[in-house]
């Protein structure tokens, strides 16, 4: 609300971002942007406080799902035309061919998928993932240990969720031996020589381009989508209890603030089951697995 007002007064009305104040020359004349004022800021803080007290929270980014989003992006990125690493050709980006119209090459897609799996399985922010360096990784014959200042993890998973395979493919393609694991890209799908991490803004841009590849509207997805998606995946599909998820994510076990509920339940997420199926007597019964205890309508 305040951002819209600031834009309207500042850009459309040409008042800039100068705070709203009384003119020193004319006491009856006000100058600056009306939305950039102490009263408006105080009102917005008070509004937020009252909404929190009333149990209303800001709607987070739409959740990434392992099957509908990650698996589809995995198969799209692994298509031979998209997965191939092509030689750099200076000045070859304006010939109008399908190759020149691609927004990413094989290196970028390997980089993205490795970052996706780490962010999803370890429930990390994008800026945390992009700060990972090579000395944080330790490969073994049966797994991978990723050591971070705030967490130590060991992961393995399905094909499209296997962080080991994704990281190994990215390291083999990038040939990065030291420094940041996810570095900035230059034109032509090339990796910059400077040891500088990929920015969160650039990562979000590439991620949303990848969503467009599979026909998904990217407007409601953000860098928190992997955090939320990983939380729901571990709880619903892997059947992890809430205490275990909190310990894995480094969250407080004090459930009075119900922080984890914001990630498990969001108004932005797709419904797992239509309401008309809840008491439908003609619906096929679901089968409960005797080993993992999972019971889903698609069983």
């Amino acid at each position: 609300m305040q951002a819209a007002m600031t834009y309207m007064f500042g850009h459309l009305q040409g008042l800039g971002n100068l705070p709203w104040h009384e003119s020193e020359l004319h006491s009856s004349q006000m100058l600056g942007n009306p939305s950039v004022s102490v009263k408006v800021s105080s009102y917005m803080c008070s509004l937020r406080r009252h909404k929190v007290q009333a149990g209303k929270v800001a709607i987070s980014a739409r959740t990434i799902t392992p099957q509908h989003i990650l698996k589809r992006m995995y198969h799209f990125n692994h298509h031979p035309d998209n997965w191939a690493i092509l030689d750099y050709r200076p000045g070859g980006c304006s010939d109008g061919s399908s190759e020149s119209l691609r927004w990413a090459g094989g290196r970028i897609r390997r980089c993205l998928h490795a970052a996706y799996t780490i962010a999803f399985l370890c429930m990390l922010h994008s800026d945390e993932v992009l700060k990972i360096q090579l000395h944080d990784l330790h490969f073994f014959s049966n797994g991978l240990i990723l050591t971070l200042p705030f967490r130590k993890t060991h992961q393995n998973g399905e094909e499209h969720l296997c962080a080991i395979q994704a990281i190994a493919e990215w390291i083999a393609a990038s040939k990065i031996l030291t420094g940041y694991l996810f570095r900035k890209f230059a034109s032509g799908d090339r990796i910059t020589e400077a040891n500088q991490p990929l920015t969160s803004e650039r990562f979000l841009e590439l991620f949303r381009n990848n969503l467009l590849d599979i026909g998904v509207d990217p407007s409601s997805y953000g860098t928190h989508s992997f955090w939320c998606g990983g939380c729901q995946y571990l709880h619903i599909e892997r059947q992890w209890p809430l205490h275990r998820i909190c310990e894995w994510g480094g969250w407080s076990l004090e459930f009075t603030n119900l922080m984890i509920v914001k990630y498990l339940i969001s108004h932005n997420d797709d419904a797992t089951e239509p309401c008309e199926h809840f008491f439908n007597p003609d619906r096929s019964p679901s089968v409960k697995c005797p080993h993992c205890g999972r019971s889903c309508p698609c069983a």
Side-chain angles (χ1 to χ4, degrees):
M1 292 165 55
Q2 187 178 13
M5 293 168 53
T6 303
Y7 176 81
M8 190 273 291
F9 284 117
H11 294 271
L12 301 184
Q13 301 297 327
L15 299 180
N17 293 323
L18 190 67
W20 184 249
H21 65 283
E22 187 175 3
S23 173
E24 298 179 356
L25 301 178
H26 304 283
S27 58
S28 60
Q29 182 180 8
M30 299 298 293
L31 303 174
N33 192 323
S35 70
V36 187
S37 65
V38 176
K39 286 189 176 182
V40 173
S41 298
S42 177
Y43 169 77
M44 296 301 293
C45 292
S46 177
L47 178 64
R48 177 180 178 85
R49 184 165 55 251
H50 282 290
K51 283 183 174 291
V52 172
Q53 292 174 353
K56 299 179 181 179
V57 295
I59 298 178
S60 61
R62 193 176 182 86
T63 301
I64 287 294
T65 56
Q67 299 296 331
H68 179 65
I69 302 295
L70 283 180
K71 189 173 184 178
R72 292 172 60 193
M73 288 197 299
Y74 171 84
H75 288 296
F76 186 93
N77 291 336
H78 277 72
H79 189 277
D81 293 338
N82 301 323
W83 199 244
I85 298 178
L86 305 178
D87 295 332
Y88 175 62
R89 294 187 302 172
C93 299
S94 58
D95 55 4
S97 63
S98 59
E99 178 182 328
S100 65
L101 298 177
R102 294 193 308 170
W103 61 269
R107 291 189 182 92
I108 291 181
R109 295 185 185 276
R110 286 171 171 80
C111 174
L112 290 177
H113 187 68
Y116 294 163
T117 55
I118 295 176
F120 186 84
L121 293 173
C122 300
M123 297 187 298
L124 299 177
H125 293 289
S126 62
D127 55 349
E128 294 174 332
V129 174
L130 300 177
K131 295 300 188 297
I132 294 175
Q133 301 194 45
L134 264 295
H135 64 259
D136 298 323
L137 299 174
H138 302 278
F139 286 94
F140 297 91
S141 59
N142 60 344
L144 164 70
I145 290 181
L146 169 61
T147 306
L148 299 175
F150 45 86
R151 188 181 293 113
K152 179 177 290 186
T153 66
H154 178 196
Q155 273 299 329
N156 203 343
E158 303 175 51
E159 182 182 31
H160 62 285
L161 293 177
C162 182
I164 301 174
Q165 175 184 341
I167 295 174
E169 290 175 340
W170 164 236
I171 293 178
S174 64
K175 296 180 175 55
I176 296 177
L177 300 178
T178 59
Y180 289 106
L181 179 61
F182 304 106
R183 296 186 185 177
K184 291 183 177 181
F185 284 92
S187 60
D189 195 38
R190 295 174 300 155
I191 305 169
T192 58
E193 296 182 0
N195 185 25
Q196 296 179 346
L198 194 66
T199 64
S200 296
E201 294 78 13
R202 178 59 174 161
F203 173 77
L204 180 60
E205 177 186 354
L206 296 173
F207 165 50
R208 287 177 170 171
N209 286 339
N210 213 171
L211 289 174
L212 290 173
D213 286 338
I214 60 174
V216 175
D217 182 8
S219 58
S220 57
Y221 291 90
T223 54
H224 276 72
S225 297
F226 294 97
W227 185 323
C228 301
C231 181
Q232 294 186 13
Y233 166 75
L234 294 176
H235 180 64
I236 298 173
E237 298 195 27
R238 301 299 295 268
Q239 298 288 301
W240 281 21
L242 298 185
H243 279 80
R244 188 177 184 182
I245 296 177
C246 290
E247 291 179 0
W248 178 253
W251 301 334
S252 171
L253 295 177
E254 183 63 44
F255 287 101
T256 55
N257 57 9
L258 296 180
M259 174 64 69
I260 192 174
V261 176
K262 293 196 297 183
Y263 298 104
L264 292 176
I265 304 175
S266 173
H267 298 291
N268 258 341
D269 299 335
D270 295 326
T272 57
E273 184 180 8
C275 294
E276 55 268 20
H277 287 177
F278 288 172
F279 287 95
N280 183 7
D282 298 325
R283 181 181 171 215
S284 301
S286 58
V287 180
K288 190 172 184 179
C289 176
H291 299 287
C292 66
R294 291 191 230 173
S295 177
C296 57
C298 61

